[in-house]
Amino acid sequence: MRKPAIAKPVKRAKANTKVKPGAVTKSAEPAMDVAVGRRIRDLRRVRQFSLETVAARTDLSIGFLSQIERGLSSPSLRVLATLADVLGVGIAALFGASPSADGASDQVVTRSLQRPELKLWRTGVSKQLLSPASADNKLNLFLVHLEPGGSTGDELYTHDGEEAGLVLEGEMMLTVDSETWSLKTGDSFRFASRRPHRFSNPAQDAKTVVLWVNCVTAAG
C-alpha cells in the first residue's frame, strides 16, 4: 500500500522591501519650503510688488525668487531676512496663515501646541514663533533651535530692527561686525540688526536652544 504523499510547505515569495531607484519618500521639509514660498508670494502680492521689483531691491535673480515662491528652493535665513525687509515686515510674517490685506490681528495668546514653525532644514536652524502671528507685528518672540553644527551660514547678513536673546540650552557662537563670542547656557545678548551678524552651534553632538526677540523698527 502506497504511503500518502507528504505535502511540502509552499515557499512564499518575500515581499520586495527595496526602494526602487528614484523613488524617494516625500518628507515634510519640501512641504515647509512650499508653505514659506506661498507666504512670500502672498505678501508680495499684497504689497503689489512684481518679481522684477523684489529682485531689483534684493539683488536676487527673478528665477531664484520664482523658485522660492514655488517651493523649489529652500532659502537661507539671510535671504528670508532680506525679503522680509523689502516686503516691510519681520520674519515672523512668514509664519502661520497667509497675511490679510491690512495684516491686522487682535490675538493675544499663543498656545504651546499651536506655535507656527519655520524650519530651515538645510542649515539646521528652526524658529518657533511664540507671539501671535501678524504681518503688522513689530515685536516678536521666538524659540530658536540649532541642530548640532547648525548655522546661518558663513556670510554675515543684516536686516531692519533690533534683537536680543537668552541661551536656554547648549552653546552658540555669535558674530557681530568683526567680533565673535561664545555664549553658554544663561548668557544673553542684544544688538542692532543692521550690524552684520551670523550665529551657529559649534557642538557636533548637542542642540542649542535660544529664546530670541526681534523688534522691527521700519514702517510696514
Side-chain angles (χ1 to χ4, degrees), residues 72-102:
L72 302 179
S73 290
S74 181
S76 66
L77 187 57
R78 180 183 64 84
V79 169
L80 289 179
T82 301
L83 288 170
D85 259 11
V86 168
L87 296 170
V89 297
I91 288 182
L94 306 182
F95 292 70
S98 297
S100 60
D102 58 7

